[in-house]
Amino acid sequence: MKTQQLAKPAPGFFGSVCGIAVPVALQSMLQSSFAMVDQVMIGQLGSAGVAGVGTAGKFSYILSVVVSAIGAVAGIMISQYIGQKNEREVERSFLINLTAAMGIAAIFTLVCMCFSRNILGLYTSDNRIIETGAEYLTITAAAFLPSAGAALGSVMLRCMEKAALPLYASILSAVLNTLLNYILIFGKIGIKPMGVSGAATATVISQWVNMAMIVMMLYCNRYRGQEKYRKRKEYGERAVFQWKQYGAILFPLLICEFMWSLGENSYAAVYGHLGLASSAAMILNNPVQGMVTGALCGLSQAAGVMIGKRLGKGQSEEAYEESKRLMLYGLAGSLILSALVAFGRLFYVEIYQVEEEVKVLAAKSLMVYAVLAPVKVENMILGGGILRSGGKTKYIMAIDLAGTWVFGVPLALISGFVLDFPVYWVYFILSMEECVRLGISLLLFRKRKWMHQFTTFVDSPITNSP
């Protein structure tokens, strides 16, 4: 009887998923539009501009995935403590992770502002790409701090089931970014054309505006008034923050995401080895991949929040059944989007004023992506949301490191440097690591060892004195 009851969708489950997933998906797509708008407009300036901006984005992407890892840890902890109704630990989890994200962002900012040319030289020897990319990276480094702050603020709002609020901020910042791009890149309303510098400046301004709005939303919805602070006393002012537990969640994810991003950068270096046309073609595909991933990343976020709350309440069977439904939603959505990419790829590449060779390579690479997208999406939901929700991130680290460095990078080096295959075949071959990761993740999911409920300890009992 219990099994039959669990097999039925929980009341309001689909609505709860949509309440988190849809705003997050729209927000992620809008954030991806920053890169797409930059590339489409810079694309009017030629292949060197596209390759320079895209290559600069590869290094800043390392920061993005590290901040995402910290945000994932914050989401795991906040969701479980909300499930336990432990306001004090919710607050401390947020502030500690926010401090970590902002500190790392500050380091990246200094490195990029001081060594942008050296960084670009790691990816290519083409001086055209280095000059353009260094110019773009030096300026956009000023957007790292607000991006990190907004990311962690958005995590808190989503865990509070106010996922629509970060979406509103993203809408305004995306509109502002597009308008400023048009004005600054091409020189409108009396402003001298700034080219790549204009695109970078527009991104910086838009990201600071985005963070300002997220801060205002957090203040209005959580910190204004004293109710939350009064509630904390119910859980004891002497509660000890579990640093060992925090480190066991954070460090595997940081190592995992950092090494994964290095793997992605290794792929970019292989594409660069194949020539300017191959590098530009793969960079043209990034916005499409970002939009598809963004459209379904809300399911990953919903999984992290909803399954985390279930585990926090000790409801492991409900968590398992709801996880399976979330994976089915992701599979259905990815198949639809894959079909759209396959049919629309030829129209997309015509947007850019680049050489015909670049368009052909980009279209073929997009077809490869359309075939592999369902596997990538399932990995995102399973590894990026469900398996992480219990805090056993060492499993995720092992799976991702094996997939990227045991399979992905060696396959990329062999197919690109030894066999000298075209870029779309290199992309297909190295992406086989996604299939390996999915197979291992499904086995781990079925064993249920990822399920874990957080605990909180106190120094000494808190008594109410008269």
Side-chain angles (χ1 to χ4, degrees):
M1 182 67 68
K2 185 177 180 181
T3 303
Q4 293 178 351
Q5 185 178 6
L6 288 174
K8 297 179 181 179
F13 175 74
F14 184 75
S16 298
V17 171
C18 290
I20 299 173
V22 173
V24 170
L26 292 174
Q27 183 186 3
S28 180
M29 292 173 70
L30 284 168
Q31 289 295 324
S32 296
S33 74
F34 279 72
M36 178 174 281
V37 169
D38 283 357
Q39 287 196 8
V40 169
M41 293 190 179
I42 290 296
Q44 311 309 309
L45 306 178
S47 299
V50 172
V53 171
T55 305
K58 287 294 182 182
F59 185 78
S60 59
Y61 187 63
I62 297 175
L63 172 64
S64 177
V65 297
V66 170
V67 170
S68 295
I70 297 172
V73 173
I76 292 168
M77 300 177 72
I78 292 169
S79 296
Q80 285 227 11
Y81 288 130
I82 287 178
Q84 297 175 18
K85 298 182 180 179
N86 190 331
E87 279 293 328
R88 178 173 178 80
E89 294 305 314
V90 167
E91 186 70 17
R92 288 205 291 190
S93 298
F94 171 64
L95 292 176
I96 288 170
N97 284 290
L98 175 64
T99 301
M102 297 291 278
I104 293 174
I107 294 171
F108 267 77
T109 300
L110 291 174
V111 170
C112 290
M113 285 184 170
C114 297
F115 305 105
S116 58
R117 287 185 58 83
N118 305 82
I119 292 169
L120 268 294
L122 298 174
Y123 296 94
T124 180
S125 58
D126 191 311
N127 286 327
R128 294 172 297 173
I129 298 177
I130 292 175
E131 288 292 336
T132 304
E135 180 183 2
Y136 184 81
L137 183 60
T138 302
I139 298 173
T140 53
F144 292 167
L145 280 171
S147 296
L152 270 292
S154 296
V155 168
M156 174 62 94
L157 289 169
R158 289 169 195 155
C159 292
M160 293 167 59
E161 298 189 8
K162 295 185 180 294
L165 295 180
L167 170 61
Y168 302 148
S170 292
I171 291 173
L172 180 58
S173 59
V175 170
L176 178 62
N177 182 61
T178 303
L179 179 61
L180 290 175
N181 263 323
Y182 177 71
I183 293 172
L184 299 178
I185 292 174
F186 303 112
K188 303 298 179 180
I189 62 173
I191 295 177
K192 183 180 178 181
M194 297 173 63
V196 169
S197 296
T201 303
T203 297
V204 171
I205 295 172
S206 301
Q207 290 291 356
W208 277 101
V209 170
N210 183 50
M211 189 186 75
M213 289 186 290
I214 294 293
V215 169
M216 181 182 67
M217 291 169 178
L218 271 174
Y219 172 75
C220 292
N221 287 275
R222 184 169 180 83
Y223 298 111
R224 186 170 59 185
Q226 299 299 314
E227 181 181 358
K228 294 290 182 183
Y229 294 94
R230 287 198 300 268
K231 284 184 178 179
R232 280 188 214 139
K233 291 188 178 295
E234 299 173 11
Y235 301 97
E237 291 296 334
R238 301 178 193 172
V240 177
F241 185 77
Q242 297 303 297
W243 288 103
K244 184 177 180 180
Q245 180 174 259
Y246 176 64
I249 301 170
L250 175 63
F251 290 117
L253 270 187
L254 280 178
I255 294 170
C256 168
E257 296 293 351
F258 181 73
M259 295 301 294
W260 178 81
S261 65
L262 286 182
E264 291 292 307
N265 279 263
S266 298
Y267 300 154
V270 173
Y271 303 147
H273 162 75
L274 298 175
L276 177 59
S278 296
S279 181
M282 293 306 297
I283 289 168
L284 286 186
N285 294 345
N286 288 341
V288 174
Q289 296 185 28
M291 294 295 282
V292 172
T293 301
L296 295 172
C297 74
L299 290 173
S300 177
Q301 295 287 331
V305 172
M306 297 177 68
I307 305 305
K309 288 181 180 179
R310 286 289 193 189
L311 294 177
K313 295 175 183 177
Q315 300 171 341
S316 58
E317 286 299 323
E318 290 85 347
Y320 187 77
E321 294 299 322
E322 290 181 358
S323 296
K324 291 194 290 186
R325 288 197 287 273
L326 285 163
M327 286 190 284
L328 287 176
Y329 295 162
L331 178 61
S334 63
L335 290 173
I336 294 171
L337 292 177
S338 289
L340 292 176
V341 171
F343 287 113
R345 69 190 192 284
L346 297 178
F347 299 99
Y348 168 73
V349 297
E350 292 299 327
I351 296 174
Y352 298 93
Q353 300 298 318
V354 295
E355 294 81 0
E356 190 62 28
E357 180 187 6
V358 176
K359 293 180 181 180
V360 172
L361 292 174
K364 290 182 177 180
S365 300
L366 277 175
M367 189 64 207
V368 172
Y369 175 73
V371 172
L372 295 169
V375 177
K376 291 177 178 287
V377 169
E378 288 301 294
N379 273 328
M380 176 178 65
I381 295 171
L382 188 54
I386 294 169
L387 298 182
R388 291 182 180 185
S389 62
K392 297 282 189 175
T393 54
K394 62 181 180 181
Y395 295 136
I396 305 301
M397 179 183 70
I399 293 170
D400 284 359
L401 289 180
T404 300
W405 290 97
V406 177
F407 292 93
V409 172
L411 288 173
L413 295 173
I414 293 170
S415 58
F417 285 91
V418 179
L419 302 177
D420 203 25
F421 282 164
V423 68
Y424 49 89
W425 274 114
V426 173
Y427 178 51
F428 177 78
I429 292 170
L430 68 85
S431 295
M432 289 301 99
E433 61 97 2
E434 294 275 358
C435 300
V436 173
R437 287 200 293 123
L438 181 59
I440 299 173
S441 297
L442 287 172
L443 288 175
L444 178 61
F445 173 74
R446 294 189 65 181
K447 288 182 179 295
R448 307 192 186 200
K449 291 184 178 180
W450 54 276
M451 293 181 172
H452 173 67
Q453 184 182 27
F454 290 177
T455 55
T456 305
F457 301 97
V458 296
D459 289 329
S460 59
I462 302 299
T463 57
N464 295 323
S465 56

